[in-house]
Every structure is written in C-alpha cells, then in structure tokens.
Amino acid sequence: MSSAADRRPATPMARQILEHHSLLSRARALPGEARFVLAVLTLGALVAGAGIGFLVVTGQLDGRWYDLRDLGNATAHFRGWTQRQGIHSAVPYLVTGLLGGIAILSLVGGWLVIGVWAERRLIAKFQIRQGPNRVGPFGLLQPLADAVKLLQKEVLIPIGADKLLFFLPPILIFIPAMLGWGPVPWAPKMSYADLNVGVVYTIAISSLGVLAVFLAGWSSNNHYALLGAMRTVAMMVSYEIPISISLLAIVLFTGSLQLSDIVAWQAQHNVWMIVLLPFGAFTFLFASTAEINRTPNDIGEAESEIVAGFHTEYSGMKAGLFLAVELGNALLVGAMMSTFFFGGYSLFGLERWIPGYLIMGAKTFLVYFGFVWLRATLPRFRLDQLMAFAWKFLIPLSIIQLLFVAVESMVVVQSGLPGIVTIGGSIIANAALTFVGVRAWANAIGYSPKEMASPPIMTNGVGGLRAAEQIRAAS
Amino acid sequence: MTTVNEPYVLNIGPQHPSTHGVFRLRVVMDGEVIRDLDMIVGYLHRSMEKLAEERTYTQNIPFTDRADYLAAMSNNLGVCLAVERLAGVEVPERASYLRVIFAELQRIASHAMANGTLVSDAGAWQTPLLYMFREREKILDLFEMTCGARLTTNYMRIGGVAFDPPPEFWPALQELLDEMPARIDEYASLVVDSEIFLARTRNVGVISAADAINGSLVGPALRGSGVPWDLRKAEPYCVYDRMNFEVPVGRHGDVYDRFMVRLEETRQSVEIIKQAVAQIPDGPHKTDIPLALRPPPGEVYGRVEGPRGELGFYVVSDGTPAPYRFHIRAPSLINLSLLREMAVGVSLPDAVVALGSLDIVVGDIDR
C-alpha cells in the first residue's frame, strides 16, 4: 500500500513553487562572485529607482523630452526644435509618422510572438499538459521556430483556384489588422493618430477584414472554404450592430468620439466604463469574439465541422499570416477593450508613476488572457444560435441600454449634482438593467436553461418499448 | 425575383477532424442544411473474419483487440465467452471477477474517450477530452501493469485470463476508484450545465424509442432513447448477477441524453468495480485448455455489453482447431446506420454532433 503515498508530492504546491522557482533560491545557488555582482546590481537598480521616483514626485520630469512615461513628449520637443530651426512642418510630421509606424509594427509583431507562446502555454496549463517547453527557456522561442517552419513550407495553390484572388487575401487581411492600432492611446499624448472620429474609424476598419475573408473563401474553390466565408460574413454583418450600439453608449457619456477623450473621461471621473456599462462591456466582448473568430464563436473556422473554414486551402506562410492576423486581432480587441472599458492608460492616479503604455499593455494582455480562458473552456455555438443571440438578445437590450444612457448622460452633464451622485446613480441603474433586464428578456423570449438540463432516469428494469414507456411515465 | 439554391456535394472524410478515423460521409447540402447523406465505410477493412478461419481459437483473440481498438478488453471477453460456451469450458470464479473488473475499467476508458470527443465535436478546444484522458491514462497504466499492453491488451483467455494482476495493481486500482467520483463530478461541472453545450445538444439528433428498436440500435445510444436494455442486466454473464448497479436511460433520446447516459454509466462502473474488488475470491485465474482447442461441431452466438453496445460473436465449429465461421456483430456499424435519420434535414454542425454521439470506432465498423 505504498503507491498512494509515494505519488503525492511531499510538500504543498505553493511551497514547492517557492522553493524551486523563486529567484532567491536561484541566487543562493550561484557562486560567490556572481552573488556579489548580483547584489551590487540590485542595489544600483534600487538607488536608480528611488532617484527616478524622487524626480517624478517633485515634478522635475514633467514635459521633458526624456520623460519616458509618455513618448509623445519627445515628439512634441522634436517638432518644436524643427520649428525653431525653420524646417518645413511636413518633415517632423513625416519622420514621426514613419517612426511611429515602424514602432507599432514591431510592437505588434513582438506581441504576436508573446501571444502565440502565451496562448499555447496557457491552454496547455488549462488542459493539464506541459505545452511548448523545448525551444528556448520555457519554450519561449517556439513561435519563432513555428514561423521558420511555415516559411520553409511550400505554398500550394489549388488547380481550381482563382490565382489572383487566391494570392491577395493574406495581404488584404493584414492591412486592416494593422490600421486598427492607429488611434489607440498609449499615454495622454502618445497616440499614433489621435483622430477626432476614432470610434467611427475603429468600427469602419474592423469591418474591412471581412472582404479579404470572403475573397479567400470564394477563390479557394473549396466547399469548406466557401462555407466558412459565408458564415464569417453573416457573423460580421450581424455583430457590427451590437458593437456599434455599445460604443454609442460610451460616446453618449463622454461626449466625444476621440479615444483619448474617452480615456481621459474615465480617468477624470475615476470610473471604468465596465462598471458604468456592464452590459455594454459584455456585448462588446461577446461581439468581438464573433468578429475575430474565437471560441465560443469560432464558427467561421469550426475545426470539427468545416476543417479550417475560409483558409482551408492555404498552406505555408499564407496560412501563417491568417493565423497571425487572427491573433493580432485578439490583441487589438484587447487594446480596444482596455481603452473603452478598462480606463485605458489610467489606473486611478498610478499612471503618474507607471508609464501609461505599460498599464495599457498589461490590460491588453489581461483581456487576451480572458480570450484564452474562454477558448480553453467553452464549446462552440451553432450559426443560427449565434445569429439569434445577436438579433433577439444583444441588439434589443443594447438599444434599451442606450435609452437609459441617453437620460443618464444628460443628468450627469446638466443636473449640477456632484459626480458621485449622478455617476453612482447611473452605475446602479445600469447594473439593475443588466441583471434584471437580462433575466426578464430571457424569460420573455422563452429561454430556460434549467429545464433543459435533466439527468437520465436510473432504473433497475429490463425490457423493450413497453418498459421504456413505463419508465418514462413513472418519472 | 427569387433565388434558387443549388445543392452541392460535400465529401466529409476520409480525412476530417470529426469522422473519428478513416470514414467518409458524402453529403448533399443545400446551404448549411443537409439534404441527403451516404455513409461510405471500408477504408480500414482488414478481413478479420476471413483471417480468423485459418487460426486457432486462442490465436483469434488478438484480432478482436484490433476490431474495437478503444475497448479491447470487452472484445476479448466477448470472444472468450462465446468459445467457452461452445467448448463447454469452465471458468474459475476469480477469473470471472477479474474479467468484470477489466471490462468495467475498459468501459470507463472508452466512455471517457467517447464523451471527450463528443464535446470536442461540439467545439470545445479539447479541454474536456484531455480532462478525461487523465483518468483514461491511469486505467491504461493499470492494463499495462497487468498484461504489458495498453490498447491491444489480449488479456482474456479461453478459460480465464492470461495473468493474475501483480501486487501493486490493487492499491493503484483502489486509488483510482477513490478519486474517480470526484473526477467525474469535475468533468460534469465543466460540461453538463454549460448552456452552450445544452444549446448544441438538446433536441439534436433525436431518436424515438420505437425508432431505436426498429433500427436495432444498441448500447448507450439505445438507452439514451429511453429503452432499458443492458445485457449485464438482461442476460447476466460472468458475475454481473451478483453486482448491484443501476442502468441510466435518457428522457428525450437526443445527443445530450446519450452523453449523460455514458457519464452515468461511468459512475455505475466505478460502483461495480468497487463491489468486485470487495468480493473477489482467491484461487486460480485460469483453467488449462489444450493449445489447439477442438470444440464439438456446432454454433454459438455469444454476446456481451461492450461500451458501444451489444457486441456479438457468432462462431461455428466443425470440430477442427480453427473456426468454420467467425462473425463479429459490431455495435458501431449498426449504430451508424441511424445517422441518416438524424442528419437529413438539419445543419452540418448538428450532424457532426449527432455522429459524435453515436461513438463509432472505425476499426469496429470495418473489421
């Protein structure tokens, strides 16, 4: 009777992790000289941190070009310098535009690598597996190895495919995925293109990708691809509407279509939109999973039904581009979600200490983690169920919420009452709408999941049709 | 102006994520709706029944491993019971208990696979499948401990079982039995009340009790339609008549019911194994039979309740060491024949889930 005791770890999991994975234990294992160097470095980092903290507190850093909490400062200083030198104003515009574009491309590229690794690793942990752990430390270089593998592979073009239209979609789908990052505010002054119609731009760009998807599905000359494309188009068309309505509610509160204004409003009122508009946040999250083809709404490329959907026929790096764009879109939705609903770069005053783009990145990856979690947990909807959910549930309730918000926003602006009263009242009203309204609406359209889940009847009997009828009658 | 949809033909398989092997569906579709459906089998045909006519009865046992490769123990048991009845071989009591224990372990492992792949067919990203694989892995470890093989066990023999389990088998089995109910609950909590899973499986692929009997459906698919027919109760073999267990039957006959029946059967199997472990006597684990067993001329149809349903072996002897005719009544093939009733007129995702709920094994279909 030894095996039961042998297999269980002798110490609790938390202690094991502390003992085997903590930095302290790693440092203790180092040789003496290395430990000395490490101690000096740590001390230096602490002193430097204290010095920076002092500068930040006394406000000596504010607005300088080397104020790295907001990279927009450097740009502004550069523009001022060129003006003083008498250089044409187009030059700083072009230079910063080019630099910013490269910066966004490399940032998203780097995030993609981290995103691929994080998704595979996290899903493996959810599924009691190890996940990638061979290439590099913790398997961190696995995405690069995957990319190299995909680049080496031959790109096949099916005989029946429309050559040009088959060639275009992987490129076409990449453009809106990158353009979407333009208006994201990373810090108060740090935004690639702080458009005054940022919300409209976001909605417009997000619906461009569907063109490439449909081209890919149609030109492949494959039934699975066509089915996937049709499903994706139907989904996108349906879910644009709830997304737009939920964003409209935000715009009513903030009174601006500019993303930086929306973040500033949340920072100023010290409230995140997810608290103020829980139903709007849910709508946005759910609708975005449909837009970017992720579980539970990945019906556009439902593996168990239509193999890989619209990119069934793509191979090599072309398929890789589709997958990368999909992941990039998930990160983009994460960034949008944090901008619209999680206060963007603001963190209740802490953004004075921590660079805004770090806060923004952390929030983005938090939402991304939510997507991974969903993917590891939920089964998939059917197309008609998804459509019904949008048209019968999300859209009517979003419109009702919009009516609520229209009144509330007028009260917030015009009543002259303190913010804690008006915004607090709005929070309570919207929470009530979310929890009561959703229930009532579900009852009204006749949805009752509790009755659907019924356990089987346990019996000791044996028999055929008559026994079956008796058992059913008795239960 | 009206638009007319033109039906088109979609080949699902032989290589497709949800056909569970090399099995092909030729579907005539109208948009997303299935109008007609042909099932094309035979990609895995190995001529098992003909090969069996050239080999002795004991040599035929390994073939049955490869028929339903997810339930090798049950297949072994079926052929051994049939030949024993034909030849009049007595089985020691300990061997009968061991057979029950291993057949029920195999049932848990097979149902885990069936339910896991069903949820994956419904779109979950393999998580429920891997959760159930955790327990299946431990069961396969037990098999390996006892007979050295994990999938193609070749464990049962005519007149008993090949080996007595080693001493370390029993504590490991007890540990598995102790944790199993909690594991099944954990698995159920992930799937059973999931509203998405309910929406996908409730009232999908409905087979009425009358249709199920007319289509000679067997196993969890039959019991999911509400018919309380379990050979372990109806025609107890081995020592099932001494076991205290219940048979779950479904209410609606849909995919969800078949899923739930399998889940409950897993719980009942754990109970059966617990009772068998408590009751198992000491003694020999097999009787010695001649290497070239010559049953008297005659025929026999032996059947057991495998994980997929009634698994029958029709064996005809002409008095020589090899069977004259060796036929396997495969539950997967018969169950599959009702797919057409379920799938025509519904959309593709529903058909995929209905196919998953039948729990076919292509090795069992093609043999």
Side-chain angles (χ1 to χ4, degrees):
Chain A
M1 303 297 283
S2 62
S3 71
D6 287 346
R7 283 189 199 168
R8 248 171 241 129
T11 46
M13 188 61 103
R15 243 179 83 194
Q16 273 196 330
I17 291 172
L18 275 181
E19 281 171 9
H20 294 285
H21 299 282
S22 72
L23 287 173
L24 219 65
S25 70
R26 295 270 165 94
R28 219 177 288 146
L30 289 172
E33 303 84 44
R35 239 186 293 174
F36 177 72
V37 171
L38 206 67
V40 169
L41 283 178
T42 315
L43 207 67
L46 283 177
V47 168
I52 292 172
F54 179 74
L55 285 180
V56 169
V57 171
T58 50
Q60 293 176 23
L61 210 60
D62 290 356
R64 307 292 179 135
W65 69 267
Y66 45 78
D67 179 6
L68 295 182
R69 288 170 299 167
D70 190 340
L71 298 184
N73 286 325
T75 320
H77 277 271
F78 177 63
R79 201 174 57 231
W81 180 78
T82 48
Q83 264 172 8
R84 283 196 299 279
Q85 302 296 319
I87 300 171
H88 194 273
S89 63
V91 174
Y93 187 75
L94 283 175
V95 169
T96 50
L98 204 63
L99 282 179
I102 293 169
I104 284 188
L105 269 177
S106 30
L107 176 86
V108 176
W111 275 13
L112 277 184
V113 173
I114 300 171
V116 170
W117 176 81
E119 173 158 39
R120 291 184 58 176
R121 189 88 177 164
L122 279 173
I123 284 195
K125 295 296 173 201
F126 277 119
Q127 298 180 341
I128 37 179
R129 292 188 284 124
Q130 285 296 319
N133 62 357
R134 295 289 125 183
V135 193
F138 306 108
L140 265 168
L141 299 179
Q142 185 68 44
L144 296 180
D146 285 350
V148 170
K149 180 200 75 175
L150 284 174
L151 282 171
Q152 284 175 336
K153 280 194 164 182
E154 184 187 0
V155 175
L156 295 169
I157 298 177
I159 290 174
D162 188 322
K163 296 278 184 314
L164 177 67
L165 297 189
F166 189 75
F167 170 77
L168 280 176
I171 303 162
L172 286 184
I173 201 167
F174 208 75
I175 297 169
M178 285 298 133
L179 286 180
W181 290 92
V184 176
W186 296 96
K189 277 173 276 179
M190 184 181 161
S191 176
Y192 184 63
D194 199 6
L195 300 172
N196 54 358
V197 287
V199 175
V200 180
Y201 173 86
T202 307
I203 295 171
I205 287 294
S206 73
S207 51
L208 271 182
V210 69
L211 288 175
V213 167
F214 194 66
L215 269 188
W218 185 81
S219 65
S220 295
N221 194 20
N222 177 319
H223 287 316
Y224 291 125
L226 194 59
L227 273 175
M230 298 293 280
R231 287 176 171 196
T232 311
V233 171
M235 240 165 27
M236 292 245 186
V237 170
S238 301
Y239 276 89
E240 284 293 313
I241 301 162
I243 281 196
S244 309
I245 297 177
S246 75
L247 290 186
L248 213 54
I250 294 177
V251 172
L252 277 183
F253 265 123
T254 59
S256 168
L257 288 164
Q258 202 165 351
L259 298 198
S260 57
D261 280 358
I262 290 173
V263 176
W265 191 91
Q266 297 180 61
Q268 184 200 339
H269 292 82
N270 267 325
V271 60
W272 287 359
M273 279 295 173
I274 191 169
V275 184
L276 200 50
L277 296 166
F279 185 75
F282 168 75
T283 310
F284 188 84
L285 184 76
F286 190 87
S288 351
T289 59
E291 292 258 315
I292 61 174
N293 253 331
R294 284 187 75 93
T295 320
N297 302 327
D298 57 339
I299 58 172
E301 47 195 67
E303 191 207 350
S304 58
E305 295 148 26
I306 50 172
V307 190
F310 56 88
H311 58 81
T312 303
E313 289 287 356
Y314 284 89
S315 53
M317 202 56 212
K318 290 193 170 186
L321 269 179
F322 277 117
L323 297 176
V325 164
E326 208 169 282
L327 214 130
N329 280 340
L331 287 168
L332 178 57
V333 167
M336 287 297 166
M337 188 91 194
S338 18
T339 306
F340 288 130
F341 292 101
F342 292 103
Y345 52 75
S346 70
L347 196 67
F348 308 116
L350 280 179
E351 67 265 24
R352 182 166 168 70
W353 302 86
I354 310 166
Y357 43 86
L358 288 189
I359 298 175
M360 190 68 185
K363 287 176 178 173
T364 303
F365 269 90
L366 216 63
V367 179
Y368 181 68
F369 173 73
F371 281 139
V372 175
W373 195 351
L374 283 181
R375 181 173 219 172
T377 313
L378 293 180
R380 183 189 305 124
F381 277 107
R382 210 168 55 208
L383 182 60
D384 56 325
Q385 289 165 346
L386 199 61
M387 295 293 150
F389 192 69
W391 291 100
K392 288 186 189 164
F393 189 84
L394 284 183
I395 292 175
L397 274 175
S398 306
I399 291 174
I400 293 173
Q401 191 202 36
L402 198 62
L403 295 177
F404 269 61
V405 171
V407 176
E408 286 161 6
S409 62
M410 291 317 284
V411 172
V412 169
V413 176
Q414 297 197 342
S415 68
L417 292 167
I420 187 126
V421 177
T422 52
I423 292 188
S426 307
I427 290 174
I428 293 167
N430 286 332
L433 170 73
T434 307
F435 294 110
V436 181
V438 167
R439 280 270 159 113
W441 193 270
N443 281 341
I445 60 174
Y447 176 70
S448 47
K450 283 282 177 287
E451 289 165 23
M452 286 164 72
S454 55
I457 313 162
M458 304 304 286
T459 173
N460 259 316
V462 169
L465 198 53
R466 197 175 300 157
E469 277 158 11
Q470 281 168 359
I471 287 173
R472 192 165 301 168
S475 70
Chain B
M1 195 185 88
T2 56
T3 52
V4 180
N5 287 347
E6 189 183 338
Y8 59 94
V9 175
L10 186 65
N11 265 308
I12 302 180
Q15 274 95 36
H16 187 277
S18 62
T19 53
H20 304 283
V22 280
F23 157 68
R24 179 170 152 217
L25 282 172
R26 188 179 167 278
V27 185
V28 178
M29 304 229 329
D30 181 2
E32 283 263 341
V33 182
I34 292 173
R35 291 278 173 243
D36 196 5
L37 177 142
D38 283 332
M39 289 155 282
I40 300 159
V41 298
Y43 291 92
L44 206 61
H45 184 63
R46 287 149 299 172
S47 178
M48 231 170 239
E49 294 177 1
K50 191 69 189 164
L51 282 170
E53 292 169 14
E54 299 295 323
R55 280 155 178 79
T56 65
Y57 290 94
T58 309
Q59 279 174 338
N60 278 329
I61 296 172
F63 277 138
T64 60
D65 290 337
R66 276 96 182 149
D68 183 351
Y69 42 74
L70 293 180
M73 287 288 185
S74 312
N75 285 26
N76 289 174
L77 180 58
V79 69
C80 289
L81 283 178
V83 177
E84 278 157 13
R85 232 170 62 210
L86 187 62
V89 177
E90 280 294 315
V91 181
E93 194 156 84
R94 185 176 174 82
S96 282
Y97 275 100
L98 284 174
R99 284 177 170 187
V100 167
I101 290 172
F102 279 97
E104 292 306 316
L105 281 175
Q106 185 74 75
R107 188 184 313 278
I108 297 172
S110 175
H111 280 352
M113 185 84 186
N115 277 347
T117 47
L118 171 59
V119 187
S120 287
D121 282 347
W125 196 256
Q126 317 292 353
T127 308
L129 179 67
L130 284 156
Y131 268 46
M132 264 323 212
F133 259 41
R134 176 181 50 189
E135 277 69 63
R136 182 171 179 267
E137 198 63 23
K138 286 182 183 164
I139 291 172
L140 296 188
D141 283 346
L142 288 177
F143 288 178
E144 190 181 8
M145 211 183 272
T146 308
C147 61
R150 292 161 65 82
L151 277 179
T152 50
T153 51
N154 189 17
Y155 178 60
M156 314 277 179
R157 289 286 184 276
I158 296 159
V161 294
F163 313 99
D164 206 35
E168 67 266 26
F169 172 86
W170 299 104
L173 176 65
Q174 195 56 50
E175 191 190 350
L176 178 73
L177 291 179
D178 288 343
E179 70 176 24
M180 204 58 204
R183 295 294 197 193
I184 298 172
D185 287 343
E186 182 186 351
Y187 181 60
S189 71
L190 183 62
V191 178
V192 169
D193 290 334
S194 162
E195 287 176 24
I196 301 180
F197 185 69
L198 271 167
R200 283 301 303 280
T201 55
R202 250 306 170 222
N203 298 323
V204 169
V206 179
I207 307 176
S208 69
D211 280 353
I213 290 172
N214 290 339
S216 79
L217 221 60
V218 287
L222 176 67
R223 292 191 284 279
S225 295
V227 184
W229 184 255
D230 189 325
L231 285 176
R232 293 174 296 172
K233 283 267 184 214
E235 194 186 279
Y237 50 91
C238 294
V239 286
Y240 277 113
D241 47 351
R242 301 178 206 170
M243 303 296 165
N244 184 17
F245 65 99
E246 287 181 317
V247 178
V249 294
R251 290 163 200 267
H252 303 82
D254 52 15
V255 172
Y256 186 77
D257 271 344
R258 293 193 272 279
F259 173 86
M260 288 303 283
V261 163
R262 288 204 183 91
L263 201 67
E264 285 302 323
E265 278 187 11
T266 317
R267 288 205 175 98
Q268 297 298 323
S269 289
V270 174
E271 292 306 313
I272 292 174
I273 300 173
K274 276 182 185 166
Q275 295 169 36
V277 170
Q279 294 174 15
I280 189 166
D282 284 333
H285 63 274
K286 65 176 171 188
T287 49
D288 286 333
I289 56 154
L291 204 55
L293 179 71
R294 292 167 200 267
E299 58 177 31
V300 70
Y301 178 68
R303 52 183 185 174
V304 292
E305 182 72 28
R308 281 164 195 80
E310 177 182 328
L311 177 68
F313 288 89
Y314 174 67
V315 184
V316 181
S317 163
D318 54 0
T320 58
Y324 178 75
R325 176 84 174 93
F326 186 87
H327 174 68
I328 306 171
R329 185 232 189 255
S332 294
L333 178 66
I334 316 255
N335 284 355
L336 182 63
S337 60
L338 257 83
L339 178 63
R340 197 168 184 282
E341 312 293 320
M342 291 194 275
V344 170
V346 302
S347 65
L348 182 59
D350 284 350
V352 165
V353 174
L355 175 63
S357 77
L358 287 179
D359 184 23
I360 56 163
V361 170
V362 181
D364 199 25
I365 293 173
D366 290 345
R367 302 191 292 288

